[in-house]
Amino acid sequence: MNQTGARKLVPCPFGGTYLKIAVEIDKLCPGHLGVALHGSNLSRQVRFLTYAEIAAGDAAALATRLGVAEVSSAIGNADDDQATVGRALTVLKPREIVEAIFKVVPDAFLGILKRLGPDPLPDPALYRELHRLFASRIPADRARVRVLRQLPGTITPTQIAIVLALDPVLLHPRFVSKVESLKEARELNAGFGYVRAHCSVATDDAIRQSVSSFPEKMIVEAFVRRWARRFDRLPFPLELADASLVVLKTGAALVDAGRRYDNCLPTKVPEVLVGRYLYVEVRIGAGRGVIAELRRTSRCWVLQMLYQRGNGHVSQDIASVVRRKLVAQGIAIYDRPANGVSGLDAAAKLLDIYNWCTDDVSEVDTSESYSTSEVGAVLDDSVHTFASPTFAAEPAA
């Protein structure tokens, strides 16, 4: 504090284009640079805003807007545009300067300038964009203004960029605070946009409600995963004519099947949503069934693996019939050696080829075997389904 009781401001340096323009003005208006260095956050930001207008290349027009009669007559060289600007910055108040430059001072605009802190925005054009945002009556812009006003503490240039970039339905202070960079904001727009396109219940109102109730400790990825579990539009739809083959085509269907089969199907929701995998429930009867894991190629779906309850492999008899059912629906099957699979696993082990059985090549007996009647029922069904000689032998795709 000085002798008058006023707070003594410590000089705060700045550089780049802003410093260059301030030095040029100081040559015509001595003392200008010192005032700029010692000014309050608001006075400094108004000066930076003015420098940004000069940097845009229209100093003459700016001088006309700022050079009111009493200002022009108070300086020695009224014909010098930067001298006029410098004098105006000395005698006019922040609100008067903003009003002279933009003709209007939007509500809360001076407040947001003050909250930018002592440093200039890295991109001078952002000052004009910030004013446009606060002056706009467009609903999406008003939402962005509300978020900026509700953010705590100093407003950073990164936060401004994030708020300007984010999809309006994602705008909420608590949610915005979780996004750390402009790149992340753009990726969030694109990624969540994909999820939303495959989720019919993802309306604007539903998303806004979800964002507004976003838990403080939850990360953004968890928010996207929560919506992904509600997908109901496959990226690559698959229609099967066989009633015993049920495509698990929604997040809810995968969660339900995971509960019934006691496996990790709910964790596969993201991979199904992006089109890497697709799962088909093969219903056998008496509450039993098999889960077929399909992998997408550019031409068709390929059977990757068959699982029974608890992620166990199915018996050879059942696996053979299920494969035939899938082949009949256009699903490709991994090829097998001409002399069969006998000894294949042992050879792979000796040759240091590990995880060989992860692909649907070998047939491994299940530890929880099917009853003779269940196997018989499936085999009887196969006689009806695959009566054609085309399916008399194990297919090789």
Side-chain angles (χ1 to χ4, degrees), residues 5 31 100 109 157 162-163 218 245 280 378 386:
F109 181 66
I162 290 171
V163 169
M218 184 179 288
L245 304 177
V280 176
V378 176
F386 308 108

Side-chain angles (χ1 to χ4, degrees), residues 26-325:
D26 188 73
K27 293 177 181 178
L28 301 169
C29 299
H32 174 85
L33 181 59
V35 174
L37 290 171
H38 289 81
S40 66
N41 287 348
L42 178 57
S43 67
R44 286 169 64 90
Q45 291 299 334
V46 170
R47 280 177 167 77
F48 296 148
L49 181 154
T50 307
Y51 301 158
E53 290 294 302
I54 294 176
D58 198 2
L62 178 64
T64 299
R65 294 196 295 271
L66 287 172
V68 292
E70 59 270 24
V71 173
S72 297
S73 61
I75 59 178
N77 184 3
D79 294 328
D80 191 292
D81 295 329
Q82 290 197 356
T84 300
V85 172
R87 180 62 182 174
L89 291 177
T90 301
V91 302
L92 296 180
K93 296 180 179 179
R95 175 176 289 275
E96 294 172 330
I97 295 171
V98 172
E99 187 173 15
I101 294 174
F102 294 121
K103 298 182 180 180
V104 62
V105 183
D107 291 342
F109 181 66
L110 294 181
I112 211 70
L113 288 179
K114 182 178 181 180
R115 292 181 61 198
L116 292 178
D119 299 321
L121 294 176
D123 180 6
L126 195 53
Y127 283 104
R128 181 166 282 272
E129 175 62 15
L130 200 59
H131 181 272
R132 182 207 64 77
L133 184 68
F134 273 73
S136 174
R137 306 313 303 172
I138 299 173
D141 288 339
R142 301 312 302 161
R144 292 186 171 93
V145 167
R146 284 194 297 272
V147 169
L148 284 174
R149 294 182 65 182
Q150 293 169 8
L151 288 173
T154 300
I155 303 298
T156 68
T158 298
Q159 286 176 318
I160 296 173
I162 290 171
V163 169
L164 288 172
L166 269 182
D167 187 315
V169 298
L170 299 177
L171 289 172
H172 189 281
R174 191 162 57 244
F175 194 79
V176 169
S177 66
K178 301 289 185 178
V179 183
E180 297 181 353
S181 68
L182 178 57
K183 178 182 177 182
E184 186 178 334
R186 289 170 175 166
E187 290 176 347
L188 177 59
N189 282 345
F192 185 70
Y194 177 90
V195 173
R196 183 179 183 181
H198 294 87
C199 185
S200 63
V201 297
T203 63
D204 285 357
D205 288 342
I207 295 170
R208 289 192 182 98
Q209 177 61 33
S210 180
V211 170
S212 65
S213 60
F214 187 69
E216 291 279 359
K217 297 182 179 180
M218 184 179 288
I219 60 176
V220 171
E221 289 79 1
F223 169 83
V224 178
R225 286 195 295 268
R226 177 183 289 183
W227 274 101
R229 287 170 69 95
R230 303 176 69 180
F231 88 88
D232 54 10
R233 296 169 179 160
L234 288 172
F236 303 105
L238 176 63
E239 299 296 332
L240 301 176
D242 190 335
S244 68
L245 304 177
V246 181
V247 179
L248 304 178
K249 60 179 65 178
T250 68
L254 287 165
V255 172
D256 175 68
R259 183 183 66 253
R260 291 186 288 109
Y261 282 84
D262 190 25
N263 61 22
C264 59
L265 277 175
T267 67
K268 301 297 183 180
V269 166
E271 293 183 285
V272 173
L273 178 56
V274 300
R276 172 177 286 179
Y277 290 112
L278 186 61
Y279 293 88
V280 176
E281 180 181 359
V282 185
R283 295 178 178 174
I284 296 175
R288 303 294 290 272
V290 171
I291 297 295
E293 181 181 74
L294 309 183
R295 185 71 184 262
R296 176 73 183 176
T297 72
S298 62
R299 295 188 177 184
C300 65
W301 289 100
V302 178
L303 176 61
Q304 183 89 354
M305 183 63 81
L306 296 175
Y307 299 100
Q308 65 151 355
R309 181 178 174 83
N311 280 339
H313 293 288
V314 303
S315 67
Q316 293 183 16
D317 291 336
I318 296 296
S320 178
V321 172
V322 170
R323 289 192 189 100
R324 291 173 182 266
K325 281 178 169 287

Side-chain angles (χ1 to χ4, degrees), residues 371-383:
S371 67
T372 302
S373 61
E374 286 177 322
V375 173
V378 176
L379 293 177
D380 288 342
D381 177 64
S382 70
V383 172

